[in-house]
Amino acid sequence: MKVLVVGSGGREHTLVWKIDQSPRVDKIYCAPGNAGISGLAECIDIKPDDINGLADFAASHQIDLTIVGPELPLVKGIVDLFESRGLRIFGPTSQAALLEGSKVFSKEVMLKYGVPTAKAEIFSSSKEAKDYIRAKGAPLVVKADGLAGGKGVMVCHTLDEALKAVEAIMEKKIFGASGNRILIEDCLFGEEASFIVFTDGENVVPMVSSQDHKRIYDGDKGPNTGGMGAYSPASVVTKDLSEKIMQEIIIPVVNGLAAEGKRYKGVLYAGLIITDEGPKVIEFNVRCGDPESQAVIPRLKDDLIDIISDIIDGRLSTKSLNWDERPCACIVCASEGYPGPYQKGKLVSGLEVFGNAEDIVLFHAGTKLSGRKVVTDGGRVLGVTALGEDIKETIDKAYQAVEKINFEGMYYRKDIGYRAIKQGAVKAK
Ligand code: AMP
């Protein structure tokens, strides 16, 4: 089987790494890929949002299966396009992908099907939004309706911050048309967790839980990033909580969309805050998380291609999947300055030290080859990932590996998994 993976980050390297282990796969292409991916797949210079270019490539190269990493092509309708051309592809249609593509749509779905989430008001006028903020007071969360490269959510601790957020999104249009409408949401308090499932639109199978670390600095301080590290399992998601999340959140949304004729096939990700009142949704994503994938997929023992094929054919078994009992942790090494401006082209050294170690994997994100050398090419450069006996040993192992790697200005958080270590979590799924 020939497989095309769309994307170029740590998540896509993880997918390619896992797909490469399937005996059903003969050849992997990745568009556009990165330096790490190029060791396993043939990298093709097509951008992930060039969905026509990707469809032409898949048709002309007899690709048997296309797997999409990032959200943009899904929201742009890559699945609809491929299906209309008779090409096999994994992911939700553009209508179902609106769960991530429009926060207003997502909120409406949640309200319609009784899914616990933060209270929110929707605005298409900045004056009305500002009046509401003045009347309501801080803290508040201001969210652009459309995609904004992961930057469209602003948690505002003061009135002034919230007013400035509205100005930036609705008046200065920093996210373009994505800011034509906004949501102003109540601020929730509690631990965050990511709950990710496979679904064929009828049957749902959860993956193991995970936790990301969104903020740039230790102690969850500073601006939001794409994610600075993740670990699995997330101790806050107990077996009972997992069942509650399935019954109150995931299944109502999957069934509700199916009833509306928007059958959801693919990976569905619920970003949650575990409040004193229970789990509440802060966002849905329509694809695997990054860096959660780096901490979850290495624990999957089953063949990913089998799971994906069953989903496309609408016959996902509800039997639970087989997972490695060992926890997994991923530490993201980033360029100096990220999530603000940063330089590229710094030589990355130390990668060769790890050879074929079974319990340490380096997932490349923003890297490219310069001759035979690997250089930085993005904000998040590498995800250094380890499997270990318990969460503390796993995280220690990942940090020992990080210390062997170097590039000028390399930055990483020193406290990934601190909550799990504090709670002494070990082998919960
Ligand atoms: P998102 O882009 O939706 O993942 O949001 C980015 C981050 O904003 C989340 O990881 C949370 O830390 C925070 N966030 C989003 N919505 C809320 C909310 N209603 N209350 C508190 N924090 C939130």
Side-chain angles (χ1 to χ4, degrees), residues 141 143 153 155 185-188 192 214 224 273 282-283:
V141 185
K143 300 187 169 184
V153 173
V155 181
E185 203 166 274
D186 286 1
C187 202
L188 299 176
E192 288 184 39
K214 280 267 169 207
N224 269 332
I273 294 192
I282 50 171
E283 63 168 343

Side-chain angles (χ1 to χ4, degrees), residues 335 343-349 374-377 406-409:
S335 298
Q343 292 180 357
K344 296 181 181 178
K346 310 286 182 195
L347 183 68
V348 184
S349 62
V374 175
V375 298
T376 66
D377 195 41
N406 192 38
F407 54 87
E408 192 190 320

Side-chain angles (χ1 to χ4, degrees), residues 206-221:
M207 300 191 201
V208 284
S209 64
S210 55
Q211 194 174 70
D212 183 11
H213 299 67
K214 280 267 169 207
R215 306 297 193 92
I216 185 75
Y217 301 128
D218 287 7
D220 297 319
K221 304 261 169 25

Side-chain angles (χ1 to χ4, degrees), residues 307-329:
I307 301 169
I308 286 175
S309 301
D310 287 348
I311 291 174
I312 296 175
D313 296 336
R315 53 180 173 83
L316 179 67
S317 162
T318 48
K319 264 201 336 257
S320 55
L321 299 168
N322 294 298
W323 297 96
D324 195 327
E325 289 293 319
R326 293 175 298 169
C328 185

Side-chain angles (χ1 to χ4, degrees), residues 139-398:
L140 284 170
V141 185
V142 179
K143 300 187 169 184
D145 176 36
L147 293 184
K151 300 199 176 92
V153 173
M154 302 185 189
V155 181
C156 305
H157 300 283
T158 66
L159 208 62
D160 195 45
E161 270 174 30
L163 294 170
K164 286 212 170 88
V166 170
E167 252 166 53
I169 298 173
M170 299 194 90
E171 295 170 19
K172 295 186 187 143
K173 294 264 182 233
I174 57 169
F175 306 124
S178 287
N180 288 351
R181 287 191 298 181
I182 59 165
L183 273 123
I184 302 184
E185 203 166 274
D186 286 1
C187 202
L188 299 176
F189 298 94
E191 195 168 330
E192 288 184 39
S194 308
F195 195 86
I196 313 174
V197 303
F198 290 110
T199 178
D200 63 5
E202 193 180 320
N203 306 299
V204 182
V205 183
M207 300 191 201
V208 284
S209 64
S210 55
Q211 194 174 70
D212 183 11
H213 299 67
K214 280 267 169 207
R215 306 297 193 92
I216 185 75
Y217 301 128
D218 287 7
D220 297 319
K221 304 261 169 25
N224 269 332
T225 68
M228 294 303 294
Y231 66 95
S232 170
S235 44
V236 67
V237 184
T238 58
K239 207 162 175 272
D240 286 352
L241 188 62
S242 173
E243 192 49 37
K244 196 174 162 79
I245 294 165
M246 285 289 280
Q247 295 307 326
E248 292 183 5
I249 295 172
I250 304 290
I251 291 174
V253 168
V254 169
N255 287 347
L257 288 177
E260 291 177 23
K262 297 171 187 155
R263 183 173 175 160
Y264 190 105
K265 283 185 179 182
V267 168
L268 179 61
Y269 166 127
L272 306 169
I273 294 192
I274 315 303
T275 70
D276 291 342
E277 294 165 12
K280 294 197 179 182
V281 178
I282 50 171
E283 63 168 343
F284 280 114
N285 292 331
V286 296
R287 33 79 194 177
C288 290
D290 186 340
E292 289 94 327
S293 305
Q294 291 87 311
V296 167
I297 300 286
R299 296 186 60 205
L300 178 62
K301 287 183 171 173
D302 300 293
D303 187 332
L304 185 59
I305 295 294
D306 287 345
I307 301 169
I308 286 175
S309 301
D310 287 348
I311 291 174
I312 296 175
D313 296 336
R315 53 180 173 83
L316 179 67
S317 162
T318 48
K319 264 201 336 257
S320 55
L321 299 168
N322 294 298
W323 297 96
D324 195 327
E325 289 293 319
R326 293 175 298 169
C328 185
C330 166
I331 317 290
V332 171
C333 301
S335 298
E336 184 177 12
Y338 175 79
Y342 53 83
Q343 292 180 357
K344 296 181 181 178
K346 310 286 182 195
L347 183 68
V348 184
S349 62
L351 298 171
E352 60 294 340
V353 176
F354 300 96
N356 290 327
E358 185 268 338
D359 52 354
I360 307 264
V361 198
L362 306 182
F363 292 121
H364 289 227
T367 65
K368 70 172 186 185
L369 286 176
S370 169
R372 297 181 65 184
K373 302 230 153 67
V374 175
V375 298
T376 66
D377 195 41
R380 292 188 294 166
V381 175
L382 278 178
V384 178
T385 304
L387 286 154
E389 284 313 309
D390 61 43
I391 196 73
K392 179 156 187 336
E393 195 238 345
T394 304
I395 289 168
D396 287 348
K397 204 192 272 185

Side-chain angles (χ1 to χ4, degrees), residues 28 36 51 72 88 164 252 369 398:
I28 310 173
I51 62 175
L72 189 56
R88 201 164 155 84
K164 286 212 170 88
L369 286 176

